[in-house]
Amino acid sequence: MSDEVHLSHGLAGDQQAPDWPPLTEDEVASLLDGYPSLKGPYAIVWHSPRPLSAAARVSTSAGEVFVKRHHMSLRDERTLAEEHRFATHLRAGGIPVPHIFADAAGRSSVSRGDWVYEVHRSATGNDIYRDAFSWSPAGGAAHAHAAGAMLARLHLAAEGYDAPQRGTHLLVARAEMLSAADPVAVLAGQMPGRPALAAYLSERDWRDEVGTVLGPWTQAAALAVARQTPLWTHGDWHVSNLCWSDASDAGRITDVLDFGLSARTFALFDLATAIERNAIAWLDIERGGIARIDLALGLLDGYRSVRPFDPADLAALADVLPVVHVDFALSEVEYFEGITRRRDHADVAYRTFLLGHACWFAGTEGQGLLDALRHAR
């Protein structure tokens, strides 16, 4: 099974050949032999379809583990350690985050040639959304409520975690653009340190395009962000990054997964991201009718049942939501342009994700969702 060809999730809700070669059993066995708490025989039982790395569930005599491999141009031991420290802090605070294994040298990630690996205990419960694409809606208001409540618990556990911002922009959900009254100027200032993004944007009239599309939202968003307390956040709160006791409406969350996008932002950033990921069917945008207000309110109600906030925060949430995706969208442009060399994917990240999602909020549906959040009881 380990060497079978498998497909990964594409950007348009399709299946594509993966950008990264799948893990093999020989590769995994060689890696796991360096972990004293794990013993063979090893067998790959499932390849993840997620497209930005290679990952698999692997059986061992000490139980099942989840092995993930990144290219060194994207992650290294230092940048993975940023994620692992935050995840470990949350686990110590009672959030159900799978254990991260250390090798014989005590490292939570291992570099080998062009690759870096991390090994986690496989999640408990049921991965009921494992085949769900990013931006596909949650499976009902009950699951949205549970996801919102768990996100609030995570934020409570994150309070007091003091670490500097991530050391990379690549595939990380940061908030510098979101926080700026003049995001065009901020982006221009980042260009010297982000050559792949600069190369992509140099071929288009990005100042006018980004300024025009983001302009209606930037002042209100920047004012909202200025009132928020900095907090380390998950950054990719989608139901596919959660495991569940079962698929019923009464299902509870058993594990929280994937801190790859985590960064120092603020709590409402994570909640807005959760709404953007789970309550808008972006893959169906051309057909219309993609706003799921019931799911957005379910997330909000679940969150406030654990971590209440006042009406001013509802307004701030609505101000942040139309541009909460901007920093990550630019990081995807940079990734596709500079690492995978997929100009077609970079175009989707720029046109459809960065600009298209912000434009949608100016329309009737987007305005209806924002109004529903502002007036939620």
Side-chain angles (χ1 to χ4, degrees):
M1 179 174 180
S2 64
D3 297 326
E4 289 181 359
V5 174
H6 80 286
L7 299 177
S8 67
H9 291 172
L11 298 182
D14 54 353
Q15 301 278 352
Q16 297 185 349
D19 287 324
W20 304 112
L23 291 161
T24 68
E25 287 191 342
D26 286 346
E27 176 185 15
V28 165
S30 175
L31 171 73
L32 296 183
D33 277 343
Y35 287 74
S37 59
L38 302 175
K39 303 294 181 184
Y42 310 109
I44 293 177
V45 297
W46 176 74
H47 286 283
S48 171
R50 302 295 167 187
L52 304 179
S53 62
R57 286 169 39 215
V58 180
S59 65
T60 81
S61 62
E64 191 176 274
V65 298
F66 186 74
V67 179
K68 198 169 184 180
R69 183 191 68 207
H70 310 266
H71 195 268
M72 289 287 285
S73 60
L74 175 62
R75 291 288 186 269
D76 56 22
E77 292 184 29
R78 178 183 60 84
T79 49
L80 282 178
E82 294 167 347
E83 304 169 17
H84 295 169
R85 284 192 291 268
F86 181 46
T88 300
H89 172 87
L90 295 175
R91 180 179 171 85
I95 302 303
V97 177
H99 171 70
I100 303 167
F101 288 93
D103 75 345
R107 299 172 299 181
S108 69
S109 60
V110 176
S111 301
R112 291 187 165 196
D114 292 335
W115 307 105
V116 61
Y117 300 80
E118 53 183 321
V119 181
H120 303 250
R121 175 69 68 189
S122 282
T124 60
N126 299 284
D127 193 1
I128 62 175
Y129 291 100
R130 79 177 193 179
D131 295 321
F133 285 81
S134 297
W135 297 318
S136 55
H143 282 193
H145 189 281
M150 180 59 76
L151 181 60
R153 287 180 55 198
L154 185 150
H155 288 167
L156 290 174
E159 291 177 355
Y161 181 74
D162 187 19
Q165 182 58 281
R166 294 295 297 270
T168 181
H169 285 276
L170 285 166
L171 300 187
V172 169
R174 293 168 58 153
E176 285 89 352
M177 290 280 288
L178 170 64
S179 306
D182 187 353
V184 170
V186 169
L187 183 54
Q190 293 177 354
M191 293 296 191
R194 306 176 72 177
L197 180 60
Y200 180 89
L201 294 178
S202 69
E203 299 180 18
R204 48 201 34 84
D205 187 11
W206 69 269
R207 291 176 182 272
D208 181 63
E209 292 172 339
V210 172
T212 298
V213 171
L214 303 188
W217 314 111
T218 53
Q219 184 175 7
L223 289 172
V225 174
R227 296 191 294 268
Q228 305 305 309
T229 302
L231 185 75
W232 265 72
T233 50
H234 183 276
D236 191 17
W237 198 257
H238 185 256
V239 287
S240 62
N241 283 327
L242 305 170
C243 280
W244 303 74
S245 59
D246 59 78
S248 73
D249 283 352
R252 57 183 176 80
I253 295 168
T254 57
D255 266 318
V256 176
L257 313 175
D258 198 351
F259 288 83
L261 274 61
S262 61
R264 182 177 172 87
T265 61
F266 52 95
L268 288 185
F269 175 93
D270 239 8
L271 182 55
T273 298
I275 293 169
E276 192 259 351
R277 294 281 195 273
N278 295 278
I280 306 171
W282 293 113
L283 297 178
D284 297 322
I285 190 170
E286 292 185 0
R287 293 197 309 218
I290 65 172
R292 288 290 305 273
I293 292 176
D294 60 325
L295 300 181
L297 295 180
L299 283 158
L300 177 60
D301 289 346
Y303 189 93
R304 293 193 296 178
S305 71
V306 174
R307 195 171 188 259
F309 53 73
D310 59 38
D313 287 318
L314 287 176
L317 179 65
D319 288 338
V320 164
L321 180 55
V323 286
V324 73
H325 67 290
V326 168
D327 289 83
F328 183 66
L330 287 165
S331 82
E332 282 205 321
V333 174
E334 185 176 11
Y335 169 78
F336 291 129
E337 178 73 9
I339 294 181
T340 62
R341 310 290 184 179
R342 291 294 303 266
R343 174 56 68 92
D344 55 335
H345 288 175
D347 288 341
V348 172
Y350 182 74
R351 295 289 177 194
T352 304
F353 185 16
L354 173 65
L355 302 180
H357 286 198
C359 285
W360 178 83
F361 282 100
T364 302
E365 263 201 283
Q367 288 293 304
L369 175 58
L370 297 179
D371 285 344
L373 293 173
R374 289 190 180 100
H375 297 102
R377 294 187 178 277

